[in-house]
Amino acid sequence: MADETLQADSGLQRLDKAAFGIIYGAIMVLSILLAAGDHPDAPMKTAAVLFGSVLAITLAKAFAELMSHALQTKERVTRLAWRAAWHHSSPTLAVANVPTLLFLAAALGWLSAQSAIVLSQSLCVALLVILGSRVGWVIDGRIMPAVLGGLFAGSAGLALAILKLLIH
């Protein structure tokens, strides 16, 4: 029983440590999908733009973190420092993996591009709800703050998804 609790705690701790990148990645994916148009004609291009854009953003974040840390601490930039910056930023890129795969599936004709959009948006909103709920639970340890946290964070993602519908 103690081993199960320890494993659950370490899983939640990993989620908590990755929360910034996951939230940032979910918002980035939703934002990039905003620009994809209502019915993207080229799902392969959408997959490439989506993954490439999130990769560029993730690299920029890691590089900025690395350089600003060096300026603040006057420490040399080392391979270990780069690895730490990348490790902190990589959850952002991880969020783009499933949406990219969904658009690749659409390019292969396994699902429609519209389905890829809806599923990608749903994933991002779900991640925001989960992490918002986690924040509410960690802060107060009660159900109502967890529900409110999930609603608050999920509404940010839902607003971006609805904005896409309104724009296109």
Side-chain angles (χ1 to χ4, degrees):
M1 183 70 172
D3 289 337
E4 290 175 16
T5 304
L6 183 60
Q7 288 176 350
D9 287 345
S10 66
L12 289 175
Q13 288 170 349
R14 285 196 310 264
L15 178 66
D16 294 350
K17 287 180 182 177
F20 177 88
I22 294 169
I23 292 166
Y24 192 68
I27 298 293
M28 294 309 327
V29 168
L30 287 165
S31 299
I32 292 165
L33 289 176
L34 254 171
D38 192 27
H39 299 287
D41 295 328
M44 184 65 82
K45 181 179 178 183
T46 303
V49 167
L50 178 63
F51 189 79
S53 297
V54 176
L55 176 62
I57 291 164
T58 302
L59 289 171
K61 182 185 169 303
F63 186 69
E65 186 177 304
L66 181 70
M67 293 293 116
S68 66
H69 178 76
L71 284 171
Q72 292 170 7
T73 63
K74 297 181 178 143
E75 293 176 11
R76 292 188 182 277
V77 175
T78 64
R79 190 173 77 235
L80 187 61
W82 171 249
R83 195 165 125 186
W86 174 252
H87 182 71
H88 183 254
S89 299
S90 62
T92 302
L93 183 60
V95 174
N97 290 341
V98 172
T100 299
L101 290 173
L102 289 169
F103 280 99
L104 290 175
L108 294 171
W110 296 346
L111 69 146
S112 70
Q114 187 61 32
S115 294
I117 289 172
V118 170
L119 291 170
S120 296
Q121 289 175 323
S122 298
L123 170 71
C124 292
V125 171
L127 288 170
L128 292 170
V129 167
I130 290 166
L131 287 167
S133 297
R134 177 79 181 133
V135 169
W137 181 259
V138 167
I139 290 172
D140 282 330
R142 296 180 309 156
I143 295 294
M144 188 53 81
V147 169
L148 292 174
L151 287 173
F152 175 73
S155 67
L158 195 57
L160 285 170
I162 291 170
L163 184 60
K164 178 177 177 48
L165 286 173
L166 294 175
I167 290 173
H168 300 288

